[in-house]
Amino acid sequence: MSSKYFDNLRPVVTAKEMSGIDRFAIEKIGIPGMVLMENAGREVVAVIKEMLGTVENKNIIIFCGKGNNGGDGFVIARYLLNMGAKVKIYLIGKIDEVKGEADSNLNILQNIGHRVFPVSSMEHIDWNEGAHLVVDAMLGTGVQRALKGLMAEVVESINRIYAPILAVDLPTGMRAGANNEVCIKSSKTVTMAFLKSGLLMSPGREQAGEIIVADIGIPNWVGKEKDIKCFQLTDEYFSEVLPERKPDTFKNKCGQVFLLAGSIGLTGAAVLSSEAVLRSGAGMALLGIPESLNTIVEEKLTEVMTLPLPETDQQSISLDSKEMISEKLTWANVLAVGPGLSTHSDSKKLLKWILEKFEKPIVLDADAINCFKDEKEILRTTKSDLILTPHPGELSRLVGISTKEILAAPIEVVREQAQKLNIVLVLKGAPTIIGSPDGYIFINSTGNPGMATAGMGDVLTGAIAGLVAQGMSPLDGALAGVYLHGLSGDISKSELGEAGLLASDVLKNLPLAMRTFEAANV
C-alpha cells in the first residue's frame, strides 16, 4: 500500500522520523553528513536568490544554532559571501559548543576570514542593522518543548524586524500539533527532503509562510524503507482513483445511497447531505426522514427521493421504522446516517440494530456519532466498513479524550482511534485529517477559512457516501470526498470570497471540482 501512496502523494514526516531518515542516508547509503548539509545550504541559497533577485551588496542576517540547523546556516553564509552579499552571522550559544558537521562548516567560515558573533545575551545583537532578509537557522526540527529564556527572546525580537524571514527546515519554535507559543513567523520555509507534519498543522502552517521542499540528495524510496505512513493529499492521486462513467452506464449502476437524517429544526442537514450524494456522481439518493417533516424536505428537494418514516414525539425517526428501513437496506450500496438525526433513545436503538444487520459501507456523522459515545465498542465489532466524520468535539465525546488533547496531537489521536475502532476516521478541521484502520494518515491540502460555517460537514457526509457508492473503497472514498469538498470550497471562494460562503455554495460547485479531474483524464 505504501508504494501506491508514495507514487502520487507527498510523504510527511515527524522530526523523529526525519532524524532516522538522515541516519539511514548517512550510514546505509553512504551519503556523508557534510554532503547533505552542503546540499541543504545550496538549496536555501537558490530560494534566497529568487526572493531578492540578486544578493550582491544585500544585507542578510543569519541566526544560527549549535546543531545541524546552524550548520546549514554556516553553509548558506559561505555561498552568500561568495556571491557578494553582506552577511552577518549570530550564533545563539558559544563557539566551542558547536559540534559535528556544523562545527566543520563553522571552521570553514572562520578559515576564509569571516567572523561569527556568539550570543549569550540580547545585548550581543545589533538590532539597528538594516536587513534585506533574515535567515532563521537556529533549531529547525530540534525543538522538543516550548522555547524559553534567551532563545525565546531572540525569536520574539526577530519577528519584530521589518524584513522578510526565511526559515531553514522548520521555523524555530515550531512543534507539530502544539501551540507554538513562541515561534518564528517566516515568509518562506525551505524544508529538507520531506514535508514535516508541523508545517501542515495549525498554527504551524500559518507561521511557516510559503513552504518549499528541497531535494538534498536523499532518494525518495528511503521514505518507503523507513515505512512512512503519513501523506498530504494531491491532485495526482485523485486523477488515478476517481470513478469514471462508462458510455453505457445508467443510474442504477452509478451507486445507490440510503440516508437517515433530519429531525425537527434540522431538515437543512438532511437536504444538504442527500443532495451532495448526487452532486458527487452517485446515481440515486433516498432520504429517510420523519414523516411530519417529509413535506418540508420535498419542497426543497427535486432529484432526491424521500421515504417518510414513523417518528417519535420529538419528530425524530422512530424505532417503529425498522421494517420500512429494512427493505431499503437491501437496495442501498451505501448507508449515510447522522446529519440532523437527533440523539433520541430511539435513534440509538435504531443505529445499533442497523450495525447488526447492514454489512455494506456506512458513513456516520454528527448525531450518529454522538449516539455511540457510551458504546463505542459496537463500532469495532460491526461487519460494515465504517467511515466516521466527526469534528473535534464529537470525537472527544466518542473516545473520552478532551478536545484540547485532540487538537494538541491530532495525527497521533486519529491514528490511534482509527486503529483501535477499526474504522476510517475523518477528523474535520483545518486541515482535515483522515486515518485508516492500518495506521495510515492523510492530511488534506484543500479548503479555506470561509468553510467554517454551518452545513459544511453535511455536504461532506453526502459526498463521501456518493463516492463510495460508485465503487471506491471506503478509504479512497473518504480521501476523495474530503479533497473534493475542500476544492469545491476553494472554487466557491474564488467566486464569492471567504466571508458569507455557504454550504450550499460548496454543494453547487462539487461537480466543478470533479470536472477538474475529468478534464485531466481526457
Side-chain angles (χ1 to χ4, degrees), residues 79-114:
Y79 276 96
L80 292 175
L81 286 164
N82 289 342
M83 295 174 181
K86 299 176 182 178
V87 182
K88 186 157 190 179
I89 307 168
Y90 289 110
L91 169 65
I92 312 304
K94 299 177 180 178
I95 295 287
D96 60 8
E97 292 176 329
V98 181
K99 305 298 181 184
E101 287 89 2
D103 184 45
S104 297
N105 277 300
L106 172 58
N107 289 333
I108 293 171
L109 264 183
Q110 293 175 319
N111 290 340
I112 62 175
H114 196 74

PDB file of all heavy atoms in Angstrom, residues 79-114:
ATOM      1  N   TYR A  79      28.057  30.591   0.859  1.00  0.00           N
ATOM      2  CA  TYR A  79      27.619  30.819  -0.519  1.00  0.00           C
ATOM      3  C   TYR A  79      27.267  32.282  -0.754  1.00  0.00           C
ATOM      4  O   TYR A  79      27.618  32.870  -1.790  1.00  0.00           O
ATOM      5  CB  TYR A  79      26.410  29.931  -0.842  1.00  0.00           C
ATOM      6  CG  TYR A  79      26.773  28.533  -1.279  1.00  0.00           C
ATOM      7  CD1 TYR A  79      26.794  27.477  -0.374  1.00  0.00           C
ATOM      8  CD2 TYR A  79      27.094  28.259  -2.606  1.00  0.00           C
ATOM      9  CE1 TYR A  79      27.122  26.190  -0.773  1.00  0.00           C
ATOM     10  CE2 TYR A  79      27.431  26.974  -3.020  1.00  0.00           C
ATOM     11  CZ  TYR A  79      27.443  25.942  -2.101  1.00  0.00           C
ATOM     12  OH  TYR A  79      27.772  24.669  -2.496  1.00  0.00           O
ATOM     13  N   LEU A  80      26.544  32.867   0.202  1.00  0.00           N
ATOM     14  CA  LEU A  80      26.124  34.253   0.026  1.00  0.00           C
ATOM     15  C   LEU A  80      27.318  35.198   0.002  1.00  0.00           C
ATOM     16  O   LEU A  80      27.354  36.164  -0.781  1.00  0.00           O
ATOM     17  CB  LEU A  80      25.160  34.644   1.148  1.00  0.00           C
ATOM     18  CG  LEU A  80      23.787  33.955   1.123  1.00  0.00           C
ATOM     19  CD1 LEU A  80      22.972  34.343   2.352  1.00  0.00           C
ATOM     20  CD2 LEU A  80      23.009  34.318  -0.154  1.00  0.00           C
ATOM     21  N   LEU A  81      28.294  34.938   0.834  1.00  0.00           N
ATOM     22  CA  LEU A  81      29.503  35.752   0.835  1.00  0.00           C
ATOM     23  C   LEU A  81      30.222  35.668  -0.512  1.00  0.00           C
ATOM     24  O   LEU A  81      30.710  36.677  -1.050  1.00  0.00           O
ATOM     25  CB  LEU A  81      30.442  35.309   1.959  1.00  0.00           C
ATOM     26  CG  LEU A  81      30.013  35.703   3.376  1.00  0.00           C
ATOM     27  CD1 LEU A  81      30.781  34.890   4.417  1.00  0.00           C
ATOM     28  CD2 LEU A  81      30.226  37.199   3.591  1.00  0.00           C
ATOM     29  N   ASN A  82      30.294  34.462  -1.059  1.00  0.00           N
ATOM     30  CA  ASN A  82      30.944  34.276  -2.361  1.00  0.00           C
ATOM     31  C   ASN A  82      30.211  35.021  -3.474  1.00  0.00           C
ATOM     32  O   ASN A  82      30.794  35.352  -4.509  1.00  0.00           O
ATOM     33  CB  ASN A  82      31.019  32.788  -2.705  1.00  0.00           C
ATOM     34  CG  ASN A  82      32.010  32.042  -1.845  1.00  0.00           C
ATOM     35  OD1 ASN A  82      32.884  32.651  -1.229  1.00  0.00           O
ATOM     36  ND2 ASN A  82      31.884  30.718  -1.802  1.00  0.00           N
ATOM     37  N   MET A  83      28.909  35.284  -3.256  1.00  0.00           N
ATOM     38  CA  MET A  83      28.103  35.977  -4.260  1.00  0.00           C
ATOM     39  C   MET A  83      28.066  37.485  -4.041  1.00  0.00           C
ATOM     40  O   MET A  83      27.363  38.210  -4.743  1.00  0.00           O
ATOM     41  CB  MET A  83      26.668  35.430  -4.242  1.00  0.00           C
ATOM     42  CG  MET A  83      26.565  33.979  -4.666  1.00  0.00           C
ATOM     43  SD  MET A  83      24.875  33.351  -4.450  1.00  0.00           S
ATOM     44  CE  MET A  83      25.075  31.647  -4.999  1.00  0.00           C
ATOM     45  N   GLY A  84      28.789  37.945  -3.046  1.00  0.00           N
ATOM     46  CA  GLY A  84      28.881  39.391  -2.841  1.00  0.00           C
ATOM     47  C   GLY A  84      27.900  39.970  -1.854  1.00  0.00           C
ATOM     48  O   GLY A  84      27.757  41.204  -1.762  1.00  0.00           O
ATOM     49  N   ALA A  85      27.193  39.133  -1.114  1.00  0.00           N
ATOM     50  CA  ALA A  85      26.262  39.640  -0.114  1.00  0.00           C
ATOM     51  C   ALA A  85      27.022  40.131   1.118  1.00  0.00           C
ATOM     52  O   ALA A  85      28.153  39.704   1.392  1.00  0.00           O
ATOM     53  CB  ALA A  85      25.277  38.544   0.290  1.00  0.00           C
ATOM     54  N   LYS A  86      26.392  41.014   1.864  1.00  0.00           N
ATOM     55  CA  LYS A  86      26.919  41.483   3.142  1.00  0.00           C
ATOM     56  C   LYS A  86      26.225  40.674   4.238  1.00  0.00           C
ATOM     57  O   LYS A  86      25.052  40.899   4.521  1.00  0.00           O
ATOM     58  CB  LYS A  86      26.664  42.971   3.313  1.00  0.00           C
ATOM     59  CG  LYS A  86      27.340  43.831   2.251  1.00  0.00           C
ATOM     60  CD  LYS A  86      26.960  45.296   2.409  1.00  0.00           C
ATOM     61  CE  LYS A  86      27.616  46.132   1.308  1.00  0.00           C
ATOM     62  NZ  LYS A  86      27.217  47.566   1.409  1.00  0.00           N
ATOM     63  N   VAL A  87      26.960  39.739   4.811  1.00  0.00           N
ATOM     64  CA  VAL A  87      26.354  38.751   5.706  1.00  0.00           C
ATOM     65  C   VAL A  87      26.865  38.935   7.122  1.00  0.00           C
ATOM     66  O   VAL A  87      28.077  39.065   7.356  1.00  0.00           O
ATOM     67  CB  VAL A  87      26.678  37.312   5.234  1.00  0.00           C
ATOM     68  CG1 VAL A  87      25.998  36.292   6.145  1.00  0.00           C
ATOM     69  CG2 VAL A  87      26.231  37.112   3.785  1.00  0.00           C
ATOM     70  N   LYS A  88      25.937  38.936   8.063  1.00  0.00           N
ATOM     71  CA  LYS A  88      26.314  38.932   9.477  1.00  0.00           C
ATOM     72  C   LYS A  88      25.695  37.707  10.126  1.00  0.00           C
ATOM     73  O   LYS A  88      24.503  37.434   9.966  1.00  0.00           O
ATOM     74  CB  LYS A  88      25.843  40.186  10.190  1.00  0.00           C
ATOM     75  CG  LYS A  88      26.372  40.257  11.634  1.00  0.00           C
ATOM     76  CD  LYS A  88      26.402  41.674  12.144  1.00  0.00           C
ATOM     77  CE  LYS A  88      27.149  41.761  13.469  1.00  0.00           C
ATOM     78  NZ  LYS A  88      27.216  43.141  13.982  1.00  0.00           N
ATOM     79  N   ILE A  89      26.516  36.941  10.867  1.00  0.00           N
ATOM     80  CA  ILE A  89      26.074  35.672  11.445  1.00  0.00           C
ATOM     81  C   ILE A  89      26.105  35.755  12.958  1.00  0.00           C
ATOM     82  O   ILE A  89      27.151  36.081  13.552  1.00  0.00           O
ATOM     83  CB  ILE A  89      26.965  34.499  10.997  1.00  0.00           C
ATOM     84  CG1 ILE A  89      27.068  34.462   9.476  1.00  0.00           C
ATOM     85  CG2 ILE A  89      26.420  33.181  11.534  1.00  0.00           C
ATOM     86  CD1 ILE A  89      28.140  33.536   8.985  1.00  0.00           C
ATOM     87  N   TYR A  90      24.959  35.466  13.560  1.00  0.00           N
ATOM     88  CA  TYR A  90      24.878  35.371  15.015  1.00  0.00           C
ATOM     89  C   TYR A  90      24.705  33.901  15.404  1.00  0.00           C
ATOM     90  O   TYR A  90      23.848  33.198  14.842  1.00  0.00           O
ATOM     91  CB  TYR A  90      23.698  36.176  15.537  1.00  0.00           C
ATOM     92  CG  TYR A  90      23.873  37.667  15.444  1.00  0.00           C
ATOM     93  CD1 TYR A  90      23.124  38.414  14.534  1.00  0.00           C
ATOM     94  CD2 TYR A  90      24.765  38.332  16.269  1.00  0.00           C
ATOM     95  CE1 TYR A  90      23.277  39.791  14.451  1.00  0.00           C
ATOM     96  CE2 TYR A  90      24.924  39.720  16.195  1.00  0.00           C
ATOM     97  CZ  TYR A  90      24.174  40.444  15.280  1.00  0.00           C
ATOM     98  OH  TYR A  90      24.332  41.807  15.203  1.00  0.00           O
ATOM     99  N   LEU A  91      25.499  33.449  16.336  1.00  0.00           N
ATOM    100  CA  LEU A  91      25.389  32.090  16.869  1.00  0.00           C
ATOM    101  C   LEU A  91      24.766  32.171  18.261  1.00  0.00           C
ATOM    102  O   LEU A  91      25.321  32.813  19.161  1.00  0.00           O
ATOM    103  CB  LEU A  91      26.772  31.437  16.960  1.00  0.00           C
ATOM    104  CG  LEU A  91      26.853  30.121  17.742  1.00  0.00           C
ATOM    105  CD1 LEU A  91      26.049  29.023  17.049  1.00  0.00           C
ATOM    106  CD2 LEU A  91      28.302  29.699  17.939  1.00  0.00           C
ATOM    107  N   ILE A  92      23.624  31.540  18.447  1.00  0.00           N
ATOM    108  CA  ILE A  92      22.976  31.542  19.753  1.00  0.00           C
ATOM    109  C   ILE A  92      23.657  30.472  20.605  1.00  0.00           C
ATOM    110  O   ILE A  92      23.335  29.287  20.543  1.00  0.00           O
ATOM    111  CB  ILE A  92      21.458  31.277  19.631  1.00  0.00           C
ATOM    112  CG1 ILE A  92      20.837  32.167  18.552  1.00  0.00           C
ATOM    113  CG2 ILE A  92      20.778  31.493  20.981  1.00  0.00           C
ATOM    114  CD1 ILE A  92      21.067  33.651  18.746  1.00  0.00           C
ATOM    115  N   GLY A  93      24.632  30.906  21.381  1.00  0.00           N
ATOM    116  CA  GLY A  93      25.440  29.985  22.174  1.00  0.00           C
ATOM    117  C   GLY A  93      26.914  30.325  22.044  1.00  0.00           C
ATOM    118  O   GLY A  93      27.285  31.400  21.543  1.00  0.00           O
ATOM    119  N   LYS A  94      27.732  29.370  22.449  1.00  0.00           N
ATOM    120  CA  LYS A  94      29.179  29.566  22.420  1.00  0.00           C
ATOM    121  C   LYS A  94      29.815  28.838  21.239  1.00  0.00           C
ATOM    122  O   LYS A  94      29.320  27.786  20.816  1.00  0.00           O
ATOM    123  CB  LYS A  94      29.804  29.071  23.717  1.00  0.00           C
ATOM    124  CG  LYS A  94      29.302  29.791  24.959  1.00  0.00           C
ATOM    125  CD  LYS A  94      29.913  29.198  26.216  1.00  0.00           C
ATOM    126  CE  LYS A  94      29.399  29.919  27.472  1.00  0.00           C
ATOM    127  NZ  LYS A  94      29.957  29.320  28.720  1.00  0.00           N
ATOM    128  N   ILE A  95      30.905  29.379  20.736  1.00  0.00           N
ATOM    129  CA  ILE A  95      31.605  28.782  19.597  1.00  0.00           C
ATOM    130  C   ILE A  95      32.004  27.337  19.890  1.00  0.00           C
ATOM    131  O   ILE A  95      31.831  26.439  19.047  1.00  0.00           O
ATOM    132  CB  ILE A  95      32.868  29.607  19.240  1.00  0.00           C
ATOM    133  CG1 ILE A  95      32.477  31.005  18.758  1.00  0.00           C
ATOM    134  CG2 ILE A  95      33.720  28.880  18.209  1.00  0.00           C
ATOM    135  CD1 ILE A  95      31.870  31.068  17.393  1.00  0.00           C
ATOM    136  N   ASP A  96      32.513  27.065  21.093  1.00  0.00           N
ATOM    137  CA  ASP A  96      33.013  25.718  21.391  1.00  0.00           C
ATOM    138  C   ASP A  96      31.900  24.715  21.675  1.00  0.00           C
ATOM    139  O   ASP A  96      32.158  23.544  21.932  1.00  0.00           O
ATOM    140  CB  ASP A  96      34.014  25.748  22.547  1.00  0.00           C
ATOM    141  CG  ASP A  96      33.411  26.306  23.842  1.00  0.00           C
ATOM    142  OD1 ASP A  96      32.188  26.532  23.891  1.00  0.00           O
ATOM    143  OD2 ASP A  96      34.189  26.517  24.806  1.00  0.00           O
ATOM    144  N   GLU A  97      30.641  25.163  21.628  1.00  0.00           N
ATOM    145  CA  GLU A  97      29.509  24.245  21.815  1.00  0.00           C
ATOM    146  C   GLU A  97      29.016  23.659  20.499  1.00  0.00           C
ATOM    147  O   GLU A  97      28.200  22.741  20.487  1.00  0.00           O
ATOM    148  CB  GLU A  97      28.355  24.976  22.503  1.00  0.00           C
ATOM    149  CG  GLU A  97      28.646  25.365  23.948  1.00  0.00           C
ATOM    150  CD  GLU A  97      27.534  26.176  24.571  1.00  0.00           C
ATOM    151  OE1 GLU A  97      26.856  26.934  23.835  1.00  0.00           O
ATOM    152  OE2 GLU A  97      27.325  26.065  25.798  1.00  0.00           O
ATOM    153  N   VAL A  98      29.505  24.158  19.381  1.00  0.00           N
ATOM    154  CA  VAL A  98      29.101  23.656  18.065  1.00  0.00           C
ATOM    155  C   VAL A  98      29.875  22.375  17.769  1.00  0.00           C
ATOM    156  O   VAL A  98      31.096  22.326  17.914  1.00  0.00           O
ATOM    157  CB  VAL A  98      29.366  24.707  16.972  1.00  0.00           C
ATOM    158  CG1 VAL A  98      28.921  24.186  15.614  1.00  0.00           C
ATOM    159  CG2 VAL A  98      28.653  26.021  17.310  1.00  0.00           C
ATOM    160  N   LYS A  99      29.180  21.318  17.346  1.00  0.00           N
ATOM    161  CA  LYS A  99      29.803  20.007  17.160  1.00  0.00           C
ATOM    162  C   LYS A  99      29.525  19.448  15.751  1.00  0.00           C
ATOM    163  O   LYS A  99      28.667  19.931  15.026  1.00  0.00           O
ATOM    164  CB  LYS A  99      29.269  19.012  18.197  1.00  0.00           C
ATOM    165  CG  LYS A  99      29.412  19.465  19.658  1.00  0.00           C
ATOM    166  CD  LYS A  99      30.871  19.652  20.067  1.00  0.00           C
ATOM    167  CE  LYS A  99      30.978  20.083  21.533  1.00  0.00           C
ATOM    168  NZ  LYS A  99      32.379  20.364  21.914  1.00  0.00           N
ATOM    169  N   GLY A 100      30.248  18.372  15.414  1.00  0.00           N
ATOM    170  CA  GLY A 100      29.993  17.588  14.206  1.00  0.00           C
ATOM    171  C   GLY A 100      30.158  18.362  12.924  1.00  0.00           C
ATOM    172  O   GLY A 100      31.058  19.222  12.794  1.00  0.00           O
ATOM    173  N   GLU A 101      29.298  18.048  11.939  1.00  0.00           N
ATOM    174  CA  GLU A 101      29.388  18.718  10.633  1.00  0.00           C
ATOM    175  C   GLU A 101      29.163  20.219  10.751  1.00  0.00           C
ATOM    176  O   GLU A 101      29.729  21.003   9.986  1.00  0.00           O
ATOM    177  CB  GLU A 101      28.367  18.117   9.654  1.00  0.00           C
ATOM    178  CG  GLU A 101      28.707  16.740   9.128  1.00  0.00           C
ATOM    179  CD  GLU A 101      28.175  15.631  10.022  1.00  0.00           C
ATOM    180  OE1 GLU A 101      27.505  15.948  11.032  1.00  0.00           O
ATOM    181  OE2 GLU A 101      28.424  14.445   9.717  1.00  0.00           O
ATOM    182  N   ALA A 102      28.342  20.631  11.723  1.00  0.00           N
ATOM    183  CA  ALA A 102      28.122  22.062  11.917  1.00  0.00           C
ATOM    184  C   ALA A 102      29.430  22.753  12.304  1.00  0.00           C
ATOM    185  O   ALA A 102      29.746  23.840  11.800  1.00  0.00           O
ATOM    186  CB  ALA A 102      27.066  22.287  12.993  1.00  0.00           C
ATOM    187  N   ASP A 103      30.196  22.110  13.164  1.00  0.00           N
ATOM    188  CA  ASP A 103      31.490  22.674  13.575  1.00  0.00           C
ATOM    189  C   ASP A 103      32.451  22.751  12.389  1.00  0.00           C
ATOM    190  O   ASP A 103      33.195  23.723  12.231  1.00  0.00           O
ATOM    191  CB  ASP A 103      32.085  21.816  14.689  1.00  0.00           C
ATOM    192  CG  ASP A 103      33.390  22.395  15.228  1.00  0.00           C
ATOM    193  OD1 ASP A 103      33.439  23.614  15.472  1.00  0.00           O
ATOM    194  OD2 ASP A 103      34.358  21.628  15.378  1.00  0.00           O
ATOM    195  N   SER A 104      32.423  21.730  11.527  1.00  0.00           N
ATOM    196  CA  SER A 104      33.302  21.740  10.348  1.00  0.00           C
ATOM    197  C   SER A 104      32.982  22.930   9.453  1.00  0.00           C
ATOM    198  O   SER A 104      33.887  23.612   8.944  1.00  0.00           O
ATOM    199  CB  SER A 104      33.141  20.431   9.563  1.00  0.00           C
ATOM    200  OG  SER A 104      33.539  19.321  10.343  1.00  0.00           O
ATOM    201  N   ASN A 105      31.682  23.196   9.248  1.00  0.00           N
ATOM    202  CA  ASN A 105      31.311  24.325   8.389  1.00  0.00           C
ATOM    203  C   ASN A 105      31.551  25.660   9.072  1.00  0.00           C
ATOM    204  O   ASN A 105      31.840  26.661   8.397  1.00  0.00           O
ATOM    205  CB  ASN A 105      29.843  24.190   7.962  1.00  0.00           C
ATOM    206  CG  ASN A 105      29.691  23.261   6.770  1.00  0.00           C
ATOM    207  OD1 ASN A 105      30.257  23.523   5.711  1.00  0.00           O
ATOM    208  ND2 ASN A 105      28.941  22.186   6.935  1.00  0.00           N
ATOM    209  N   LEU A 106      31.452  25.691  10.388  1.00  0.00           N
ATOM    210  CA  LEU A 106      31.825  26.902  11.125  1.00  0.00           C
ATOM    211  C   LEU A 106      33.319  27.189  10.939  1.00  0.00           C
ATOM    212  O   LEU A 106      33.722  28.340  10.692  1.00  0.00           O
ATOM    213  CB  LEU A 106      31.490  26.721  12.606  1.00  0.00           C
ATOM    214  CG  LEU A 106      31.978  27.814  13.567  1.00  0.00           C
ATOM    215  CD1 LEU A 106      31.426  29.184  13.176  1.00  0.00           C
ATOM    216  CD2 LEU A 106      31.587  27.470  15.001  1.00  0.00           C
ATOM    217  N   ASN A 107      34.135  26.145  11.023  1.00  0.00           N
ATOM    218  CA  ASN A 107      35.578  26.312  10.844  1.00  0.00           C
ATOM    219  C   ASN A 107      35.921  26.817   9.449  1.00  0.00           C
ATOM    220  O   ASN A 107      36.819  27.650   9.275  1.00  0.00           O
ATOM    221  CB  ASN A 107      36.302  24.993  11.110  1.00  0.00           C
ATOM    222  CG  ASN A 107      36.295  24.622  12.580  1.00  0.00           C
ATOM    223  OD1 ASN A 107      36.219  25.500  13.436  1.00  0.00           O
ATOM    224  ND2 ASN A 107      36.359  23.329  12.874  1.00  0.00           N
ATOM    225  N   ILE A 108      35.197  26.304   8.451  1.00  0.00           N
ATOM    226  CA  ILE A 108      35.440  26.766   7.080  1.00  0.00           C
ATOM    227  C   ILE A 108      35.184  28.265   6.975  1.00  0.00           C
ATOM    228  O   ILE A 108      35.968  29.020   6.382  1.00  0.00           O
ATOM    229  CB  ILE A 108      34.547  25.996   6.081  1.00  0.00           C
ATOM    230  CG1 ILE A 108      34.959  24.517   6.023  1.00  0.00           C
ATOM    231  CG2 ILE A 108      34.636  26.622   4.686  1.00  0.00           C
ATOM    232  CD1 ILE A 108      34.008  23.645   5.225  1.00  0.00           C
ATOM    233  N   LEU A 109      34.070  28.712   7.575  1.00  0.00           N
ATOM    234  CA  LEU A 109      33.753  30.141   7.554  1.00  0.00           C
ATOM    235  C   LEU A 109      34.863  30.958   8.207  1.00  0.00           C
ATOM    236  O   LEU A 109      35.292  31.999   7.678  1.00  0.00           O
ATOM    237  CB  LEU A 109      32.441  30.384   8.309  1.00  0.00           C
ATOM    238  CG  LEU A 109      31.142  30.473   7.514  1.00  0.00           C
ATOM    239  CD1 LEU A 109      29.990  30.792   8.452  1.00  0.00           C
ATOM    240  CD2 LEU A 109      31.228  31.519   6.413  1.00  0.00           C
ATOM    241  N   GLN A 110      35.330  30.489   9.348  1.00  0.00           N
ATOM    242  CA  GLN A 110      36.376  31.224  10.062  1.00  0.00           C
ATOM    243  C   GLN A 110      37.689  31.195   9.289  1.00  0.00           C
ATOM    244  O   GLN A 110      38.435  32.184   9.264  1.00  0.00           O
ATOM    245  CB  GLN A 110      36.551  30.635  11.462  1.00  0.00           C
ATOM    246  CG  GLN A 110      35.337  30.863  12.363  1.00  0.00           C
ATOM    247  CD  GLN A 110      35.464  30.170  13.699  1.00  0.00           C
ATOM    248  OE1 GLN A 110      35.933  29.028  13.782  1.00  0.00           O
ATOM    249  NE2 GLN A 110      35.029  30.829  14.757  1.00  0.00           N
ATOM    250  N   ASN A 111      37.965  30.075   8.612  1.00  0.00           N
ATOM    251  CA  ASN A 111      39.215  29.948   7.859  1.00  0.00           C
ATOM    252  C   ASN A 111      39.257  30.867   6.643  1.00  0.00           C
ATOM    253  O   ASN A 111      40.351  31.217   6.161  1.00  0.00           O
ATOM    254  CB  ASN A 111      39.412  28.495   7.414  1.00  0.00           C
ATOM    255  CG  ASN A 111      39.726  27.572   8.578  1.00  0.00           C
ATOM    256  OD1 ASN A 111      40.159  28.022   9.641  1.00  0.00           O
ATOM    257  ND2 ASN A 111      39.498  26.272   8.378  1.00  0.00           N
ATOM    258  N   ILE A 112      38.081  31.233   6.132  1.00  0.00           N
ATOM    259  CA  ILE A 112      38.065  32.159   4.993  1.00  0.00           C
ATOM    260  C   ILE A 112      37.947  33.611   5.479  1.00  0.00           C
ATOM    261  O   ILE A 112      37.729  34.527   4.689  1.00  0.00           O
ATOM    262  CB  ILE A 112      36.951  31.834   3.984  1.00  0.00           C
ATOM    263  CG1 ILE A 112      35.558  31.962   4.624  1.00  0.00           C
ATOM    264  CG2 ILE A 112      37.142  30.456   3.384  1.00  0.00           C
ATOM    265  CD1 ILE A 112      34.411  31.778   3.629  1.00  0.00           C
ATOM    266  N   GLY A 113      38.061  33.781   6.799  1.00  0.00           N
ATOM    267  CA  GLY A 113      38.166  35.119   7.355  1.00  0.00           C
ATOM    268  C   GLY A 113      36.865  35.783   7.728  1.00  0.00           C
ATOM    269  O   GLY A 113      36.827  37.010   7.903  1.00  0.00           O
ATOM    270  N   HIS A 114      35.806  34.976   7.870  1.00  0.00           N
ATOM    271  CA  HIS A 114      34.532  35.600   8.227  1.00  0.00           C
ATOM    272  C   HIS A 114      34.227  35.374   9.698  1.00  0.00           C
ATOM    273  O   HIS A 114      34.367  34.267  10.219  1.00  0.00           O
ATOM    274  CB  HIS A 114      33.389  35.052   7.372  1.00  0.00           C
ATOM    275  CG  HIS A 114      32.169  35.915   7.433  1.00  0.00           C
ATOM    276  ND1 HIS A 114      32.107  37.130   6.792  1.00  0.00           N
ATOM    277  CD2 HIS A 114      30.985  35.768   8.069  1.00  0.00           C
ATOM    278  CE1 HIS A 114      30.927  37.690   7.021  1.00  0.00           C
ATOM    279  NE2 HIS A 114      30.239  36.871   7.802  1.00  0.00           N
TER     280      HIS A 114
END
